[in-house]
Amino acid sequence: MATTPSLGKIIILDRDTHICELLRYNLRAEGYEADAYNDVALARSLDLSDTRVIILDAFSSPAGTEVLRELTTSHSTAHVGVIVCSSGESAGEAITALDSGADDYIAKPFSLREMIARVRAVMRRRRPMAAVSSGSTASVGPLSVNYTTRTATLNGKPLSLTPTEYAILALLLKNRDRHLSRLEIFRNVWNGPDAGSNERVVDTNISRLRRKLDTLGPAIQNHSGSGYIFVEE
């Protein structure tokens, strides 16, 4: 009998055994290959070469924040999407997680439907790209964006953007003639009617994108009551 191909491999790292089992069971029921571990530090010894997403409780132990930093800065795990799942007891956890390079943040207790929608959205943004020889590009001053390879360069040097940051940049460049509201950006980038809405995650990612664009960062303007727009100087 033929087996149904997995939708992708997911690792759950959480000290809460109940959450580990809950997510593992439901993600497997959705068609994913899911494994769960109670020791967050185990991420350092796991083979993550075929892992698509890690759901990480980054704030329950000192090791969690270190693991988050290692996952989001290491070249060997650049293909892995990271969703931080935390109690939210400490103020600013969501901002800290996103500023550290996490793709998304969700607070406990969470809706299973929302968690699965977030997983799907991260996987879509981190979908492996096929090799291409050329593609549609856009250039604004020293910035060049290739929509086919989903890459960008600034002053001829590659920009190290997360898939979320790239998606926001591409969306703004493709809509340079109009303002985009936070909700519109969220629905386009996080891409899923079940994912809810989160204006903070939009602002945080745009703030991080501006810093990476250096002197071109101010070109992303926020006009109160209208939304964000990329303005060519």
Side-chain angles (χ1 to χ4, degrees), residues 3-60:
T3 58
T4 303
S6 165
L7 296 176
K9 184 176 180 180
I10 300 171
I11 299 291
I12 303 120
L13 296 165
D14 198 299
R15 294 177 66 185
D16 190 319
T17 303
H18 172 70
I19 286 179
C20 281
E21 292 304 314
L22 178 71
L23 288 175
R24 178 166 58 183
Y25 175 83
N26 283 277
L27 287 167
R28 286 181 175 180
E30 290 289 323
Y32 298 99
E33 178 186 350
D35 292 313
Y37 304 91
N38 297 127
D39 185 355
V40 172
L42 274 176
R44 296 186 173 108
S45 60
L46 295 173
D47 179 4
L48 303 177
S49 58
D50 60 347
T51 299
R52 298 285 304 282
V53 173
I54 289 178
I55 300 172
L56 173 69
D57 183 356
F59 300 107
S60 63

Side-chain angles (χ1 to χ4, degrees), residues 12-171:
I12 303 120
L13 296 165
D14 198 299
R15 294 177 66 185
D16 190 319
T17 303
H18 172 70
I19 286 179
C20 281
E21 292 304 314
L22 178 71
L23 288 175
R24 178 166 58 183
Y25 175 83
N26 283 277
L27 287 167
R28 286 181 175 180
E30 290 289 323
Y32 298 99
E33 178 186 350
D35 292 313
Y37 304 91
N38 297 127
D39 185 355
V40 172
L42 274 176
R44 296 186 173 108
S45 60
L46 295 173
D47 179 4
L48 303 177
S49 58
D50 60 347
T51 299
R52 298 285 304 282
V53 173
I54 289 178
I55 300 172
L56 173 69
D57 183 356
F59 300 107
S60 63
S61 67
T65 53
E66 284 299 310
V67 167
L68 173 60
R69 183 187 61 80
E70 291 166 12
L71 288 171
T72 57
T73 58
S74 172
H75 178 73
S76 64
T77 51
H79 64 286
V80 181
V82 180
I83 299 174
V84 170
C85 178
S86 180
S87 63
E89 294 178 356
S90 300
E93 279 187 359
I95 294 174
T96 299
L98 294 168
D99 276 345
S100 298
D103 292 85
D104 207 345
Y105 173 92
I106 187 168
K108 303 174 185 177
F110 53 82
S111 155
L112 276 171
R113 185 180 180 187
E114 182 176 359
M115 175 63 85
I116 291 169
R118 301 282 185 101
V119 168
R120 288 175 181 152
V122 170
M123 282 195 173
R124 279 193 292 267
R125 296 199 300 277
R126 286 186 174 265
R127 184 178 292 116
M129 297 300 298
V132 294
S133 57
S134 62
S136 177
T137 62
S139 295
V140 181
L143 175 68
S144 179
V145 175
N146 188 310
Y147 295 131
T148 305
T149 60
R150 297 175 66 86
T151 57
T153 61
L154 185 65
N155 294 313
K157 298 180 180 179
L159 268 178
S160 179
L161 301 179
T162 67
T164 300
E165 292 162 359
Y166 168 81
I168 292 174
L169 177 61
L171 181 67

